[in-house]
Amino acid sequence: MRTVGTVSRGIRCPVVKEGDDMVRVTTEAIVSMGREEHVTFHEKDIVAVTEAVVARTQGNYATTEDIAECCRKKFGCDEIGITFPILSRNRISVCLKGIAKAFKKAYILMSYPADEVGNHLFSEDLLDEKGVDPYRDVLSEERYRELFGYTLHPFTGVDYVSFYKELFEAEGCKAEFIFANDVKAILTYTKNVLCCDIHTRERSKRRLTEAGAEKVLTLANILSEPVGDSGYNPEYGLYGSNKATEDSVKLFPRDCQSFVDKLQQSLYEATGVKMNCMIYGDGAFKDPVGKIWELADPVVSPAYTERLAGTPNELKLKYLADNDFKDLKGEELTEAMKEAIHKKDSDLKGNMSSEGTTPRRLTDLIGSLCDLTSGSGDKGTPIVFIQGYFDTYAEG
């Protein structure tokens, strides 16, 4: 029996710019890695590319003026309600700067004590200490300060309320903050709303519309088409964007399925093997200490080839060892395990022998592995090559 199962490699490539052919760059990097590492390619192998370099080579950028012009066109008013922006200088501050340019006043509804991805304005313990019910209590900025003061984020050292207020007012937009966890609280102040929450955006939009809002859009509607020659994303708009400069953002990549299909074909032509390909962004995991849920992108993987669709269909070896094969050991136990894997049903849903296996989509699991492998700093490995992910204990 071979001893190595899944292997994930971060692959270096040249720093890419707008106009570079990322399919060619990726193919050359994988072929070079294969020679360097003496790798034999297989059809179960996975080649994943981070969304950041795909978007960069596409030139999918937009300025704060582009964002402002889109907001003016779509709302056509001077006042706006902005609901549940996450606490992030990288993810949304430049987007908010562009939004601020479009309006004279903004009512900003902040969830508390944390945003939807786990960034905290203050410790949850203060809710108990101050007798505040976050499910019912709606707080003005003045009341918020009386109760919770000027708390700095433990990782960034930023007071996000002050940071966002200064950002809006620097653009000539008066900012008034409201703190509540019911999105409908914004309707006391305005009937025109831009929902900035990520994973709950459609529910927020529906609830606001049903409650009498006049116009409700989400960030997916902002730059869903180009303003002049700006970048855009027809499906996600500003979702998935990152700060590029103080006055521009890099958007989530477009035409992702076309990219992965072309990459699969290019790798096949170069290696003779039809490997699995995907684009990945944020992983889907939570930091138990900092309490931050990593997924600030709208999805982990915006595109992938066919073999990567679906969910795992795996037996829990620990369960089998403790139950079905509790009286076996050694080679007899090994062979029984292999036989069970060979004979497992094509769909193990509801089967006790699969209980405890991770009930998530393959692309979310693999994308999280890729994100952890490549990191987000200076490793310089925007491509990830994975072998053995689909292998089981039954395979030698």
Side-chain angles (χ1 to χ4, degrees), residues 322-370:
D322 290 341
N323 292 272
D324 299 50
F325 308 138
K326 62 182 179 181
D327 297 324
L328 304 180
K329 59 183 177 180
E331 186 64 25
E332 189 178 9
L333 175 58
T334 298
E335 291 305 313
M337 289 286 191
K338 290 182 178 182
E339 183 70 12
I341 293 169
H342 284 308
K343 291 183 176 180
K344 69 181 178 182
D345 293 337
S346 59
D347 184 359
L348 291 169
K349 187 183 297 183
N351 190 317
M352 281 297 295
S353 62
S354 69
E355 185 175 299
T357 56
T358 307
R360 294 165 60 185
R361 296 189 304 178
L362 286 167
T363 50
D364 293 339
L365 293 163
I366 297 166
S368 298
L369 173 60
C370 291

Side-chain angles (χ1 to χ4, degrees), residues 40-345:
T40 300
F41 296 110
H42 305 279
E43 288 197 351
K44 290 183 180 180
D45 295 349
I46 302 167
V47 176
V49 183
T50 180
E51 57 82 20
V53 293
V54 178
R56 186 181 304 134
T57 56
Q58 291 176 344
N60 204 19
Y61 291 82
T63 68
T64 53
E65 287 296 339
D66 297 328
I67 295 170
E69 181 59 29
C70 185
C71 288
R72 293 186 195 104
K73 178 181 177 182
K74 295 201 172 185
F75 279 100
C77 58
D78 291 331
E79 293 189 350
I80 189 70
I82 296 171
T83 61
F84 301 151
I86 65 171
L87 309 179
S88 173
R89 293 168 297 174
N90 173 51
R91 281 294 186 172
I92 199 171
S93 66
V94 178
C95 296
L96 293 176
K97 186 175 183 179
I99 294 165
K101 290 177 182 288
F103 302 99
K104 293 181 179 179
K105 183 165 185 179
Y107 297 96
I108 305 172
L109 178 63
M110 306 286 285
S111 58
Y112 73 95
D115 68 14
E116 67 174 304
V117 293
N119 294 296
H120 276 66
L121 287 168
F122 56 86
S123 169
E124 294 173 347
D125 292 334
L126 284 177
L127 295 173
D128 304 323
E129 180 182 324
K130 302 295 183 179
V132 175
D133 184 346
Y135 301 103
R136 296 184 179 181
D137 293 344
V138 179
L139 309 175
S140 65
E141 183 179 352
E142 180 181 18
R143 181 59 176 156
Y144 170 84
R145 292 302 191 190
E146 287 176 359
L147 288 166
F148 306 115
Y150 290 78
T151 303
L152 301 182
H153 192 281
F155 288 167
T156 64
V158 173
D159 178 322
Y160 279 93
V161 177
S162 296
F163 175 63
Y164 285 168
K165 187 165 192 174
E166 291 168 6
L167 182 153
F168 271 82
E169 297 188 346
E171 301 302 327
C173 179
K174 183 173 176 59
E176 181 174 339
F177 284 84
I178 307 101
F179 299 84
N181 290 301
D182 184 347
V183 71
K184 293 185 292 183
I186 197 68
L187 296 179
T188 302
Y189 303 86
T190 180
K191 304 298 183 183
N192 296 304
V193 183
L194 177 59
C195 296
C196 295
D197 45 336
I198 304 166
H199 307 294
T200 55
R201 62 186 182 272
E202 292 303 326
R203 179 170 185 260
S204 292
K205 183 177 181 179
R206 174 183 58 77
R207 295 184 70 222
L208 287 167
T209 301
E210 291 172 351
E214 293 176 4
K215 180 171 284 188
V216 186
L217 301 178
T218 74
L219 288 181
N221 303 119
I222 307 303
L223 290 183
S224 55
E225 61 281 320
V227 172
D229 61 355
S230 77
Y232 66 100
N233 189 298
E235 185 173 3
Y236 298 117
L238 285 178
Y239 287 117
S241 62
N242 282 274
K243 177 179 180 179
T245 70
E246 294 300 326
D247 289 291
S248 66
V249 293
K250 176 188 62 58
L251 303 173
F252 221 43
R254 305 188 305 268
D255 305 319
C256 294
Q257 192 61 48
S258 174
F259 175 85
V260 296
D261 290 341
K262 289 177 181 177
L263 177 58
Q264 185 180 59
Q265 181 62 28
S266 178
L267 288 165
Y268 176 72
E269 291 170 0
T271 67
V273 178
K274 191 174 183 180
M275 290 179 261
N276 305 285
C277 299
M278 66 183 290
I279 296 173
Y280 69 96
D282 279 347
F285 46 84
K286 184 175 181 177
D287 174 2
V289 177
K291 301 179 181 179
I292 297 171
W293 184 34
E294 174 70 9
L295 188 55
D297 283 330
V299 291
V300 173
S301 176
Y304 42 88
T305 50
E306 184 179 6
R307 176 65 178 80
L308 300 180
T311 58
N313 188 59
E314 300 174 342
L315 294 171
K316 192 77 168 180
L317 298 191
K318 292 187 294 184
Y319 178 87
L320 293 177
D322 290 341
N323 292 272
D324 299 50
F325 308 138
K326 62 182 179 181
D327 297 324
L328 304 180
K329 59 183 177 180
E331 186 64 25
E332 189 178 9
L333 175 58
T334 298
E335 291 305 313
M337 289 286 191
K338 290 182 178 182
E339 183 70 12
I341 293 169
H342 284 308
K343 291 183 176 180
K344 69 181 178 182
D345 293 337

